[in-house]
Amino acid sequence: MSISDNDLVKSIQQGKTDNFIQLYEKYVKKIFDFIFFKVGNKQDTEDLTSDTFLKAFDKIKSFNTTKEFWFSSRLYSIARNTTIDYFRQNKTNYPEYTRLEEQSTEIDMLQWIQDRDKLNQILQFLETLGTDKKEIFLLRVWNEMSYDEIAHITGKTPNTCKVTFHRTLQTVIQK
């Protein structure tokens, strides 16, 4: 039987800090992929992923466990803010994703896309989106998050996230 995130967080808050390893193992690949799509290079992504988990561990005593998805959405919020801080400190913008296939990191979502031309079209299209639209789209598609989780991470309403995703999806389909 699998222990829920909330139960793990509660046990960590009660002093069983070794249980954080289970949360780390469950989310490290997802957080890595989430950050990688923003940063675009493996080394910085590894550093930012580590920073994200260190911050989560430091803040875990303040985590509220009243909602089922609370830990994951807090973790993604920390990852998002860590990445934003990275771009502010380095005074750079999001990278171009058209060179994504050259990266040595394998990303599960891309495995099912057989047509490289279509992949490049989608990636180029994502570059034309505003940051909020791109983030909502990637969280929904690549991270398979609910609209409630996305809303918690982005600070928008679930309905706004749903509408934004569907409009973006329609545009992708038309391309």
Side-chain angles (χ1 to χ4, degrees), residues 98-111:
T98 55
R99 294 186 304 276
L100 183 62
E101 64 214 32
E102 296 172 13
Q103 297 294 333
S104 62
T105 303
E106 182 177 322
I107 300 173
D108 293 341
M109 181 63 184
L110 300 180
Q111 290 176 352

Side-chain angles (χ1 to χ4, degrees), residues 26-38 45 49 53 69 72-73 75-77 79-80 83 97 107-110 112 126 133-147 149-150 153-154 165:
K26 180 177 179 179
Y27 288 103
V28 68
K29 173 107 173 74
K30 293 176 182 180
I31 294 297
F32 181 92
D33 290 348
F34 173 71
I35 294 172
F36 183 79
F37 272 105
K38 293 174 176 292
T45 300
T49 300
F53 281 96
F69 58 82
S72 65
S73 61
L75 187 61
Y76 276 93
S77 292
R80 178 179 186 251
T83 305
Y97 294 104
I107 300 173
D108 293 341
M109 181 63 184
L110 300 180
W112 67 267
L126 289 176
K133 288 180 182 178
K134 184 181 348 181
E135 190 167 56
I136 290 169
F137 187 80
L138 292 174
L139 286 170
R140 183 73 177 156
V141 173
W142 267 267
N143 298 101
E144 300 175 352
M145 291 189 156
S146 71
Y147 295 112
E149 290 174 298
I150 296 169
I153 292 167
T154 61
F165 173 77

Side-chain angles (χ1 to χ4, degrees), residues 2-24 26-27 53 55-75 78:
S2 178
I3 300 173
S4 74
D5 291 353
N6 286 343
D7 289 340
L8 286 170
V9 170
K10 287 176 189 174
S11 71
I12 295 165
Q13 290 173 336
Q14 295 169 354
K16 296 180 183 174
T17 56
D18 289 348
N19 286 344
F20 191 78
I21 294 168
Q22 292 178 51
L23 293 171
Y24 175 85
K26 180 177 179 179
Y27 288 103
F53 281 96
K55 289 175 183 178
F57 184 77
D58 287 343
K59 296 177 182 182
I60 203 157
K61 290 219 182 266
S62 68
F63 283 18
N64 181 344
T65 57
T66 59
K67 293 186 179 180
E68 186 59 35
F69 58 82
W70 185 255
F71 177 77
S72 65
S73 61
R74 278 294 298 266
L75 187 61
I78 292 169

